[in-house]
Amino acid sequence: MKIIIAEKPSVAKSIAAIVGANNKKDGYIEGNGYAVTWAFGHLVGLAMPEHYGIEGFKRENLPILPKEFKLLLRQVKEGKEYKNDPGVMKQLKVIKELFNSGDEIIVATDAGREGELIFRYIFEYVGSSLPFRRLWISSLTDRAIKDGFQTLRPGRDYDNLYASAKARSTADWLVGINASQALSISAGYGVWSLGRVQTPTLAIICSRYLENKDFKPQTYFRLKLHTAKDAVVFPALSVDKFVTRTIAEEVTAQVKAAGAVKVTGVERKEVKQEPPLLYDLTTLQKEANSKHGFSADKTLTIAQALYEAKKISYPRTGSRYISEDVLEEIPHLIAMLRSHPLFGAYIDSRFDTTLNTRSVDDTKVTDHHALIITEDPATGLSKDEQLIYDMVAGRMLEAFGERCIKENTTVSLDAGGVHFSCKGSVTLVPGWRSVFNFKDESNDEDGTTVLPALIEDDSLSIRDCEIQEKQTKPRPLHTESSLLAAMESAGKEVENEEEREAMKDCGIGTPATRAAIIETLFSREYITREKKSLVPTNKGLVVYLAVKDKKIADVAMTGQWEQALNKIASGEMDAATFHKGIEVYASQITTELLDMTFEQRDNRQSCPCPKCKSGNMVIYNKVAKCQNESCGLTVWRSIAKKELTDGQLTDLLMNGKTAFIKGFVSSKTGSTFEAAIKFDADYKTVFEFPQNKGGSKKRRSK
């Protein structure tokens, strides 16, 4: 009998139907010479330190570097203890009996690094020696499963993939266990969690948060001139920016005195915009977060459900390309969408020409090709499932669509020696942008507008010239979309699509694991959501400030480890060499964390929280923060370039107001002033000025 093992019961059911197994048993389905069984994800994992005889968190035990790693079946927490999961014990017993009675195993766990690890750990744990072959498919449609069974490959062909998966698993154990214990020992209180990928990801969030909060906006002024030609009114912005309103007013008078504005240059350029590449999981997660507010984990969950329902291809892919043989299926898949209410009109007007092949490259297809729909009709979907399906289907149409061709115009103008410019754009061929009827964003500070036909030396009347007061802005807080982009490029700011693709091997985490990493930060209570933004909690900031200069928080180094894991999977690197490097790294970070000075809670000044009344405000180097996570009141020490003392912060927290303080600096004028700091009704800090310097007028301080 051939034993097929799938990753989930739902997948096992689909496979069983294809191979003719329809006799349901307890833990498997039997028939036609097959027994189809399943796991529930990771049934087996690496044992914890206590299973090596190492109890508690003790400095003398670190670093913990097992010579041989032990496997343990999945456990559940009962009270304060962890015990074997009864459901896992039962299913493993079924799997072991089947493996002992079968002739061959067909591995049908998810075709990727983690799917391989799930099977190999089970195989090792139950002590099986059966030969096995691998089913490697990119969708669960009947045709894909049938084709996959025609091309089963020897299991040993995937030994390098398993070596990579095991190396990742043991590396995460070594770094996570040692770093977490070392930090907890150094702190002297509580249990603190650090991780190989978790901590650099937290560092990305916290560093952006602190950069944003510490940002000092600078005021500047710009002129906006309104003019017209042939009854078409349009604006132009001054090329120069002015540091004071006085200078801006002088230049405005100069412009108005000129009476007219002259066109000094018109540059027209035809721009061809290639269609975007197909989605991989990370790009889908980023755009679902930006467009629909979905978390990375929610998008993955929906995409996995669509995959298991046979509606889309395997979602945990890191490739944005398909191979030549998959290209042959695309015309049929596009034809299927003719009845789709969103895409039917576009398909009828477009797809009678050659497909764009920008997303076709056999050399760039990794374990799985990019996300596409399958031939199964998308019926019976929930609202959220329909949204994700439509994104995948629409992106497939865009990727194989025509270029979008535009004519961009840049106009230079002069009024009394003051230079202005404006930009216009006309779409000549909408191409792929017609799929969702994308419109260009306009009317932003340097955006495009509708322009009349302008030629050099045109003289136009000045209808108005206004002064715009602007402020420089910090980089925004990370959203899940921007965080995923930062993880993919190891924290580097990369806008170009091709450059991002080239950096994928150096990213932190993988498309399959990034959502789980972000969710771990939420579960550890290190971060929280404020609308779409990701914000560190008190606990998260304390951890980050403690380790931000340590190796454990080094995003680039974590990216290098991920690159090494990819090389192990491709056979370019030896797993043993990688493991030795991780042991050295784990030893280094353990020493760093044990030797550090942690900001002890009981060494910090604290007082009751004035907002929630139940929490405790602890004063740190840069902030005073409430320890009650549901409250999270934060008071920054630096206000208007003035550093408040511990005493002044205590006065504010205890009495709701400080004494009058000198030395605040105005962001507009740069002059110093005196004020008290107090809370408003929402517990935001505001200035209160002395009576002889503006009465009791209040103004937000931050």
Side-chain angles (χ1 to χ4, degrees):
M1 182 182 289
K2 295 179 180 179
I3 312 302
I4 301 172
I5 180 167
E7 192 162 318
K8 293 181 179 179
S10 60
V11 177
K13 185 178 178 182
S14 296
I15 293 172
I18 296 299
V19 300
N22 50 30
N23 187 11
K24 292 184 180 178
K25 300 283 188 177
D26 191 7
Y28 66 102
I29 309 169
E30 191 177 42
N32 198 30
Y34 291 94
V36 186
T37 188
W38 53 83
F40 311 111
H42 285 276
L43 298 186
V44 177
L46 299 180
M48 290 293 103
E50 55 266 29
H51 297 280
Y52 298 88
I54 302 171
E55 298 287 344
F57 290 10
K58 297 177 183 177
R59 183 180 291 264
E60 59 269 23
N61 289 337
L62 299 181
I64 304 169
L65 306 172
K67 290 183 178 178
E68 293 290 336
F69 281 88
K70 298 179 180 180
L71 292 176
L72 186 73
L73 60 81
R74 194 165 72 202
Q75 298 194 311
V76 290
K77 194 171 185 180
E78 286 188 11
K80 292 185 178 181
E81 293 185 355
Y82 283 92
K83 296 184 177 180
N84 291 338
D85 185 324
V88 170
M89 291 175 68
K90 181 180 177 182
Q91 189 62 16
L92 274 174
K93 185 170 183 271
V94 170
I95 293 170
K96 184 173 183 177
E97 289 173 353
L98 289 172
F99 282 6
N100 286 340
S101 63
D103 303 314
E104 178 190 37
I105 299 169
I106 296 174
V107 184
T109 51
D110 281 357
R113 191 169 76 182
E114 291 309 298
E116 192 68 23
L117 188 68
I118 286 170
F119 164 68
R120 297 289 187 119
Y121 273 179
I122 291 172
F123 186 76
E124 183 179 336
Y125 184 81
V126 301
S128 178
S129 58
L130 272 186
F132 57 92
R133 288 187 290 165
R134 194 59 161 101
L135 175 71
W136 195 272
I137 53 178
S138 286
S139 77
L140 286 174
T141 62
D142 292 356
R143 189 177 76 169
I145 295 172
K146 288 175 182 175
D147 290 347
F149 271 92
Q150 296 300 314
T151 55
L152 293 173
R153 293 175 60 181
R156 298 305 172 189
D157 285 1
Y158 297 90
D159 282 354
N160 286 335
L161 184 65
Y162 169 52
S164 174
K166 187 176 181 181
R168 192 280 308 157
S169 177
T170 55
D172 285 350
W173 193 100
L174 288 168
V175 174
I177 294 294
N178 286 294
S180 297
Q181 290 203 14
L183 181 62
S184 300
I185 291 167
S186 191
Y189 67 95
V191 176
W192 301 85
S193 171
L194 297 178
R196 183 182 65 89
V197 182
Q198 167 194 321
T199 304
T201 304
L202 177 64
I204 292 172
I205 297 168
C206 289
S207 60
R208 175 65 63 85
Y209 175 78
L210 293 174
E211 173 194 324
N212 184 283
K213 294 303 178 186
D214 289 344
F215 183 81
K216 307 298 182 188
Q218 301 294 317
T219 301
Y220 67 92
F221 301 87
R222 203 169 187 181
L223 306 189
K224 188 174 186 178
L225 181 145
H226 297 271
T227 185
K229 182 182 179 182
D230 300 332
V232 179
V233 180
F234 64 95
L237 293 171
S238 61
V239 173
D240 293 329
K241 299 173 183 178
F242 309 103
V243 293
T244 67
R245 180 174 287 275
T246 301
I247 296 173
E249 288 171 346
E250 291 173 357
V251 178
T252 301
Q254 181 181 335
V255 170
K256 290 180 176 179
V261 58
K262 182 180 179 182
V263 177
T264 57
V266 180
E267 181 184 353
R268 293 184 177 87
K269 186 177 182 181
E270 189 173 281
V271 177
K272 296 178 180 177
Q273 293 184 331
E274 293 287 351
L277 295 169
L278 292 162
Y279 282 132
D280 63 359
L281 176 60
T282 301
T283 315
L284 177 67
Q285 288 170 317
K286 287 190 294 187
E287 294 196 14
N289 180 252
S290 298
K291 293 175 180 177
H292 305 302
F294 289 2
S295 70
D297 186 60
K298 180 175 181 177
T299 299
L300 175 56
T301 300
I302 295 169
Q304 185 71 20
L306 288 170
Y307 165 68
E308 292 175 18
K310 309 182 183 184
K311 308 302 183 187
I312 65 172
S313 62
Y314 186 67
R316 297 167 189 259
T317 176
S319 177
R320 299 186 67 183
Y321 295 87
I322 62 170
S323 53
E324 289 283 353
D325 60 327
V326 177
L327 178 63
E328 296 172 8
E329 303 173 22
I330 299 300
H332 170 64
L333 298 177
I334 289 171
M336 282 183 50
L337 294 171
R338 283 188 187 275
S339 60
H340 194 294
L342 279 180
F343 309 125
Y346 169 77
I347 295 169
D348 288 339
S349 66
R350 154 72 180 97
F351 276 102
D352 54 357
T353 57
T354 306
L355 298 179
N356 189 309
T357 57
R358 181 172 181 242
S359 292
V360 183
D361 189 335
D362 288 55
T363 65
K364 294 182 179 178
V365 176
T366 51
D367 293 342
H368 295 278
H369 59 65
L371 271 164
I372 56 174
I373 64 170
T374 69
E375 65 266 27
D376 279 30
T379 54
L381 302 183
S382 69
K383 181 182 176 182
D384 287 347
E385 286 173 340
Q386 191 70 55
L387 283 173
I388 296 299
Y389 179 87
D390 289 350
M391 286 182 69
V392 174
R395 175 51 59 89
M396 189 181 77
L397 293 176
E398 289 175 334
F400 296 105
E402 293 178 300
R403 292 172 173 172
C404 172
I405 303 175
K406 298 181 180 183
E407 183 182 75
N408 291 342
T409 304
T410 302
V411 181
S412 301
L413 307 100
D414 183 286
V418 181
H419 300 293
F420 291 85
S421 71
C422 58
K423 296 177 181 179
S425 183
V426 177
T427 300
L428 304 176
V429 178
W432 63 269
R433 285 186 172 273
S434 297
V435 174
F436 288 105
N437 290 313
F438 282 145
K439 298 290 189 296
D440 276 346
E441 294 157 1
S442 60
N443 298 323
D444 58 24
E445 184 155 304
D446 293 304
T448 59
T449 188
V450 177
L451 295 177
L454 296 167
I455 59 173
E456 197 168 331
D457 293 330
D458 270 348
S459 183
L460 312 173
S461 63
I462 296 174
R463 295 197 167 198
D464 190 21
C465 186
E466 59 181 299
I467 297 173
Q468 294 184 321
E469 182 174 333
K470 303 279 188 179
Q471 280 196 328
T472 54
K473 295 179 180 179
R475 292 192 296 173
L477 298 174
H478 273 302
T479 61
E480 285 203 39
S481 177
S482 66
L483 177 62
L484 286 166
M487 293 173 76
E488 189 175 39
S489 57
K492 294 183 174 64
E493 298 282 335
V494 182
E495 296 296 329
N496 181 275
E497 195 170 35
E498 278 77 12
E499 288 180 21
R500 284 201 306 271
E501 285 296 301
M503 291 190 65
K504 276 186 175 180
D505 284 349
C506 303
I508 63 173
T510 67
T513 61
R514 287 176 189 132
I517 292 160
I518 296 170
E519 290 304 310
T520 296
L521 293 176
F522 282 115
S523 68
R524 303 287 188 212
E525 297 182 336
Y526 284 171
I527 63 172
T528 186
R529 287 188 184 91
E530 289 186 3
K531 296 182 180 177
K532 281 191 175 184
S533 298
L534 300 178
V535 176
T537 61
N538 307 333
K539 189 176 179 182
L541 269 179
V542 169
V543 170
Y544 169 69
L545 293 172
V547 303
K548 65 185 178 72
D549 298 322
K550 306 292 186 291
K551 283 184 178 5
I552 185 70
D554 189 335
V555 177
M557 182 171 287
T558 305
Q560 291 166 12
W561 289 132
E562 206 65 59
Q563 188 176 31
L565 290 170
N566 290 329
K567 287 183 177 180
I568 294 171
S570 64
E572 299 173 64
M573 178 179 277
D574 176 56
T577 302
F578 173 84
H579 184 78
K580 288 176 184 175
I582 285 288
E583 286 189 329
V584 171
Y585 173 72
S587 301
Q588 289 173 337
I589 60 173
T590 300
T591 301
E592 275 190 338
L593 293 168
L594 288 173
D595 289 347
M596 64 179 273
T597 302
F598 194 85
E599 288 189 346
Q600 298 282 351
R601 180 173 57 187
D602 49 11
N603 289 344
R604 298 313 241 149
Q605 292 193 36
S606 62
C607 60
C609 175
K611 183 179 179 182
C612 70
K613 314 299 182 188
S614 60
N616 208 40
M617 296 292 295
V618 178
I619 299 175
Y620 296 100
N621 289 338
K622 293 189 175 183
V623 296
K625 294 182 75 71
C626 179
Q627 298 298 288
N628 179 357
E629 292 295 335
S630 63
C631 171
L633 175 61
T634 301
V635 181
W636 291 87
R637 187 185 290 274
S638 178
I639 297 176
K641 298 187 178 180
K642 176 71 176 178
E643 296 283 323
L644 302 187
T645 65
D646 284 0
Q648 289 165 340
L649 281 171
T650 302
D651 284 346
L652 174 62
L653 296 169
M654 295 290 287
N655 307 318
K657 178 181 174 182
T658 69
F660 287 106
I661 302 168
K662 294 181 179 180
F664 294 111
V665 179
S666 169
S667 61
K668 290 188 176 181
T669 65
S671 59
T672 60
F673 62 92
E674 179 183 3
I677 301 292
K678 64 181 294 183
F679 290 123
D680 66 9
D682 297 320
Y683 287 91
K684 303 291 186 184
T685 53
V686 297
F687 290 122
E688 182 173 284
F689 298 99
Q691 289 290 331
N692 61 350
K693 294 187 180 181
S696 59
K697 178 183 176 184
K698 300 184 194 65
R699 190 177 76 211
R700 282 280 170 93
S701 68
K702 192 71 174 169

